[in-house]
Amino acid sequence: MMISGTQATTLAASKLSSTAPQAAADPDARQAGASTKVTISSEALQKASVGEAHKDELASPYRLTGPATLLSSLDLAVYQMPENLIQEMEVRSKEEAARNALNSQYAREHAYQTVGQVLVNGQLVAEVDDAGGYGSIKNAIPGLSEAPLNPQQRLEEIAQALKGQGKVEIRTSDFLPGLGGGGGPGAPESMLPAFTARSIHEIFAEAIEAAGRSRPGASPAPESAAS
């Protein structure tokens, strides 16, 4: 229950009037009673209201933000996806799984290998693989290019970025224990089976379009309108 400043003053005054004796009182007492009023500012009421709301939020593990919409007020409907689209989605899922398995196998068989390391004061800082990729041991190295570089170019770029931090050394053999390569490229497209089914996005788009046409009052499909 919220009470405005005006309501609080009126309620306080009426309470004092109802509890005062009906007999005549001493003038000084009347003056004191008339001057005793309780006034609650709108700012204090607002703070109290916010405090109560915040208390309720902390007490509940669930909070609702933004406008609320009752599901009963929505025109909801459930549509069965056509069987041919369901079957096409199954075909697409199987084809994607087969391609992913081949990509993973190819990456394991062609894993990237470390071809160079960059040390500062004898401590390993970064290493570069045979594809020109690199990994830093601790912190990211600022100022490196995002352009594709060959391994030697990448080693030199890293060494240049680390200048001023100590004695910089590039190693291409006698490697220290480090990241040890890892990962690998995906298989060439020519090695992967071609898709015969459309993408999931395309299949869903057709299903949504078909559901829209089946709603009562929807415009007929172009083929139906033409016939």
Side-chain angles (χ1 to χ4, degrees):
M1 176 179 178
M2 296 183 63
I3 305 175
S4 66
T6 303
Q7 290 173 321
T9 305
T10 304
L11 290 172
S14 62
K15 183 177 180 181
L16 289 172
S17 300
S18 63
T19 57
Q22 299 301 318
D26 181 74
D28 293 336
R30 286 200 301 269
Q31 184 178 358
S35 63
T36 305
K37 295 182 179 181
V38 178
T39 303
I40 303 176
S41 67
S42 58
E43 181 181 358
L45 287 169
Q46 183 180 7
K47 287 183 178 180
S49 175
V50 171
E52 286 298 321
H54 183 61
K55 180 180 177 182
D56 292 340
E57 287 183 0
L58 293 178
S60 174
Y62 306 103
R63 279 192 263 176
L64 178 64
T65 59
T69 302
L70 293 175
L71 290 179
S72 58
S73 66
L74 301 177
D75 183 18
L76 300 178
V78 178
Y79 298 95
Q80 173 68 38
M81 180 180 286
E83 185 63 28
N84 65 307
L85 297 184
I86 295 176
Q87 293 177 359
E88 188 176 7
M89 287 186 68
E90 293 176 350
V91 171
R92 177 72 184 206
S93 297
K94 291 179 181 178
E95 291 176 345
E96 288 182 353
R99 289 168 63 95
N100 289 339
L102 287 173
N103 274 320
S104 297
Q105 179 181 351
Y106 188 90
R108 289 192 299 270
E109 294 173 352
H110 300 81
Y112 297 130
Q113 301 297 320
T114 299
V115 296
Q117 293 181 331
V118 182
L119 288 66
V120 176
N121 295 330
Q123 299 294 319
L124 177 61
V125 175
E127 58 185 37
V128 175
D129 60 39
D130 50 2
Y134 69 93
S136 56
I137 303 302
K138 293 184 179 179
N139 301 323
I141 303 172
L144 299 184
S145 170
E146 295 183 1
L149 300 176
N150 64 44
Q152 185 61 34
Q153 290 173 327
R154 185 65 74 185
L155 285 167
E156 293 173 356
E157 181 189 50
I158 294 173
Q160 181 65 30
L162 295 175
K163 274 190 175 181
Q165 298 187 21
K167 181 183 177 182
V168 180
E169 174 189 358
I170 294 178
R171 285 192 182 184
T172 55
S173 61
D174 300 326
F175 296 135
L176 297 179
L179 300 176
E189 186 65 28
S190 59
M191 294 182 58
L192 301 175
F195 285 116
T196 62
R198 294 174 297 171
S199 69
I200 299 296
H201 175 78
E202 292 172 316
I203 298 171
F204 264 117
E206 182 176 337
I208 293 172
E209 182 180 355
R213 290 196 303 266
S214 64
R215 289 178 65 92
S219 300
E223 298 86 351
S224 300
S227 61

